[in-house]
């Protein structure tokens, strides 16, 4: 299916970050984690940046001294982070098992061990109270926190991009060749299993991972590990986000890319917590039929009664008595009422399902300049000319007097007739003064054509208490 330039730009600007959770025991993997953070992850970030995304690993380093504190949220925070990072996960495993409850813990009188057990109990209970009830299952009673992280990532979340790296025990021989007895003992204390029970649990855990057919590789040195992770995660990047074509964005450093990214970054903040209700699904359906009108053609006549009905639900308004869909549909609600969330979630779905329709979305709250209506008009003019005339968006507006409001408005009006399009402007009430024109004048909407071209659909959001609502209501379209 042929995709519009705006659809391709939207896809690139909306690329999510690659955020692997980094899991390992700590004392024996400090060198590896430091090497990854200093050498490997920055190289991956450079490559991700070229593709319009970010490589942002989550490395929640805590240590065994935490067991002597009152911090009861360590496990909960780790499990929550893994859920947030899913389906990305990097796990390093050696011979150590990590902090756990020994099977004979109750028979020990060791004060330090009892402190650790008490700390674990509190962490298990806190994690369970926060939605991870499974940690209290009897089979997990003696699991280390590291194994619980692996269970969460590999068996309770998506495993699309879970990668395991097992360190070859032979690395100890190489490191201890020139060490004396005392130094060798210190090395073994860092790297060897905590007990026979821990050694058995590590072996079983590794075998379970292998049996599940999750990708496993082996390494000895930090350099080998770095090479493996770089190779694996560049393949992840290639599979998710192909290189950006020059015709879409000439460079990730130009203004177009930054502007698209800023708007989509804001939209993502409005999509984080969103629950579709029957009313919202009806709203989505109405917005979709409104936005599809240009692709159906001006001869398609459909009653706007469904739009009118939704007016009772607060968010959508339309003009009564029209035989066709109006040119403008407004999402209306008080601040914090969810209009922006509805619009941003609908846009994501609509653009995904209709890649051949030109959609330009603009969020007035996404940045300081975004609240200037000239920013919106310039974007629309540039994008529509690129779509329908194939002009270079970087140079096509050079001939305009960008400081003259009337010239920018005229160019905007002319661009709306170039071809079918959907313009979405979120937050009319956020519009500010620009080019010596007061905000209340901007909100009178004189910059919108009196007669919007038939093939252009406009979706806006505002509040009922803002002056823009008054002027929207007075329009005949």
């Amino acid at each position: 299916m042929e995709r519009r330039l705006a659809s391709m730009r939207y896809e690139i600007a909306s690329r999510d970050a690659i955020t692997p959770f980094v899991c390992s025991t700590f004392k024996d993997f400090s060198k590896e984690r430091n090497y990854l953070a200093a050498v490997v992850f920055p190289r991956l970030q450079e490559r991700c940046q070229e593709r319009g995304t970010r490589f942002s690993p989550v490395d929640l380093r805590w240590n065994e001294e935490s067991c002597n504190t009152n911090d009861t949220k360590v496990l909960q925070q780790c499990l929550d982070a893994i859920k947030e990072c899913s389906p990305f996960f990097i796990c390093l495993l050696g011979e150590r098992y990590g902090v756990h409850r020994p099977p004979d813990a109750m028979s020990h009188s060791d004060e330090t061990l009892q402190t650790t057990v008490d700390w674990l109990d509190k962490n298990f209970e806190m994690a369970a109270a926060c939605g991870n009830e499974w940690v209290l299952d009897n089979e997990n009673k003696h699991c280390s926190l590291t194994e619980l992280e692996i269970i969460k990532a590999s068996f309770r979340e998506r495993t699309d991009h879970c990668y395991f790296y097992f360190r070859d025990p032979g690395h100890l021989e190489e490191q201890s060749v020139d060490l004396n007895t005392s130094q060798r003992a210190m090395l073994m204390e860092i790297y060897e299993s905590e007990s026979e029970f821990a050694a058995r649990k590590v072996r079983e855990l590794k075998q379970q991972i292998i049996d599940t057919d999750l990708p496993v590789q082996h390494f000895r040195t930090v350099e080998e590990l770095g090479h493996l992770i770089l190779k694996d995660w560049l393949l992840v990047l290639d599979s998710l986000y192909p290189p950006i074509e020059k015709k879409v964005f000439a460079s990730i450093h130009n203004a177009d890319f930054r502007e698209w990214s800023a708007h989509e970054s804001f939209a993502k903040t409005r999509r984080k917590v969103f629950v579709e209700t029957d009313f919202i699904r009806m709203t989505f359906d109405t917005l979709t039929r409104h936005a599809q009108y240009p692709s159906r053609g001006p001869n398609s006549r459909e009653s706007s009664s469904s739009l009118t009905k939704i007016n009772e639900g607060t968010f959508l308004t339309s003009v009564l008595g029209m035989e066709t869909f109006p040119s403008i549909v407004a999402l209306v609600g008080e601040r914090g009422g969810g209009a922006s969330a509805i619009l941003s979630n609908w846009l994501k779905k609509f653009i995904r399902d209709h890649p051949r329709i030109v959609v330009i979305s603009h969020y007035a709250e996404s940045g300081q300049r975004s609240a200037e209506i000239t920013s919106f008009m310039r974007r629309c003019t540039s994008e529509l000319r690129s779509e329908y005339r194939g002009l270079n968006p970087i140079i096509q507006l050079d001939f305009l007097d960008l400081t003259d409001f009337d010239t920018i408005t005229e160019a905007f009006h002319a661009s709306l007739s170039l071809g079918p399009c959907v313009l979405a402007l979120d937050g009319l009430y956020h519009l500010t003064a620009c080019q010596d024109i007061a905000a209340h004048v901007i909100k009178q909407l004189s910059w919108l054509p009196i007669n919007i071209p038939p093939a252009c659909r406009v979706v806006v959001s505002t509040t009922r208490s803002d002056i823009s609502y008054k002027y929207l209501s007075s329009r005949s379209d």
Side-chain angles (χ1 to χ4, degrees), residues 8-224:
M8 291 187 283
R9 287 187 163 189
Y10 174 87
E11 183 275 321
I12 291 168
S14 63
R15 288 178 171 179
D16 291 324
I18 297 175
T19 56
F21 183 91
V22 182
C23 168
S24 77
T25 47
F26 297 116
K27 185 163 66 172
D28 54 330
F29 275 106
S30 60
K31 285 196 301 186
E32 284 82 356
R33 292 176 83 130
N34 289 338
Y35 181 80
L36 293 177
V39 178
V40 179
F41 293 161
R43 291 180 63 183
L44 287 168
Q45 166 58 11
E46 288 177 9
R47 295 292 292 274
C48 283
Q49 192 173 14
E50 294 170 2
R51 306 286 178 91
T53 184
R54 292 177 293 110
F55 188 82
S56 301
V58 174
D59 188 345
L60 299 183
R61 297 201 201 189
W62 55 277
N63 55 54
E64 295 184 10
E65 293 179 1
S66 300
C67 303
N68 298 318
T69 72
N70 293 321
D71 189 351
T72 61
K73 296 183 179 181
V74 170
L75 178 57
Q76 173 214 330
Q77 291 169 348
C78 290
L79 298 181
D80 287 350
I82 289 169
K83 182 178 180 65
E84 187 71 20
C85 292
S86 177
F88 306 110
F89 188 69
I90 292 174
C91 182
L92 317 178
L93 279 178
E95 290 71 57
R96 293 184 68 82
Y97 185 51
V99 180
H100 64 282
R101 174 201 291 270
D104 56 351
M106 297 304 294
S107 63
H108 278 273
S109 58
D110 184 282
E111 185 175 339
T112 301
L113 177 59
Q114 287 304 316
T115 300
T116 299
V117 170
D118 291 343
W119 180 83
L120 285 169
D121 286 344
K122 292 175 182 177
N123 268 267
F124 276 51
E125 290 166 4
M126 177 61 72
C130 295
N132 294 287
E133 298 87 352
W134 57 272
V135 301
L136 297 181
D137 292 349
N138 194 56
E139 61 186 14
N140 298 323
K141 183 177 180 181
H142 299 292
C143 283
S144 68
L145 268 58
T146 303
E147 179 166 8
L148 291 174
E149 290 175 0
I150 293 170
I151 292 171
K152 175 70 172 177
S154 304
F155 308 113
R156 305 189 72 87
E157 298 292 339
R158 289 170 52 196
T159 59
D160 309 40
H161 306 293
C162 286
Y163 290 84
F164 292 84
Y165 304 89
F166 295 173
R167 186 170 52 203
D168 189 329
H171 78 101
L172 281 175
E173 291 300 321
E174 296 176 0
Q175 291 192 59
S176 61
V177 169
D178 298 322
L179 300 182
N180 59 38
T181 303
S182 175
Q183 291 170 330
R184 188 182 180 91
M186 291 176 62
L187 184 71
M188 296 304 172
E189 183 182 350
I190 293 173
Y191 289 101
E192 282 190 331
S193 294
E194 300 90 334
S195 65
E196 290 185 9
F197 171 78
R200 177 172 61 81
K201 292 288 285 184
V202 170
R203 288 195 301 272
E204 292 173 352
L205 176 58
K206 288 180 177 179
Q207 191 59 52
Q208 184 180 14
I209 292 167
I210 292 170
D211 292 344
T212 314
D213 288 330
L214 292 167
V216 174
Q217 300 205 62
H218 297 80
F219 71 96
R220 282 200 176 196
T221 67
V222 293
E223 292 78 13
E224 287 179 7

Side-chain angles (χ1 to χ4, degrees), residues 423-443:
L423 309 183
L425 175 54
D426 176 59
L428 286 179
Y429 58 92
H430 277 293
L431 295 179
T432 60
C434 69
Q435 300 196 2
D436 298 324
I437 301 176
H440 75 274
V441 177
I442 297 291
K443 293 177 181 182

Side-chain angles (χ1 to χ4, degrees), residues 276 279-297 300 302-303 306-307 310 316 325-331 342-355 357-359 421-424 455-459:
E276 282 194 23
F279 169 71
I280 288 175
R281 281 188 282 273
M282 182 170 63
T283 302
F284 279 10
D285 179 63
T286 301
L287 287 171
T288 296
R289 286 185 286 119
H290 166 71
Q292 283 178 319
Y293 180 80
S295 64
R296 294 199 302 265
S300 173
E302 185 170 353
S303 171
S306 59
L307 289 171
I310 301 180
L316 283 173
F325 274 90
S327 298
I328 304 172
V329 166
L331 286 157
I342 290 177
L343 182 57
S344 61
N345 278 279
W346 170 73
L347 280 166
K348 180 179 180 180
K349 184 176 187 298
F350 182 81
I351 293 171
R352 181 196 66 206
D353 296 341
H354 302 84
I357 296 180
V358 178
V359 181
C421 59
V422 178
L423 309 183
C456 177
R457 302 284 93 181
V458 179
V459 181

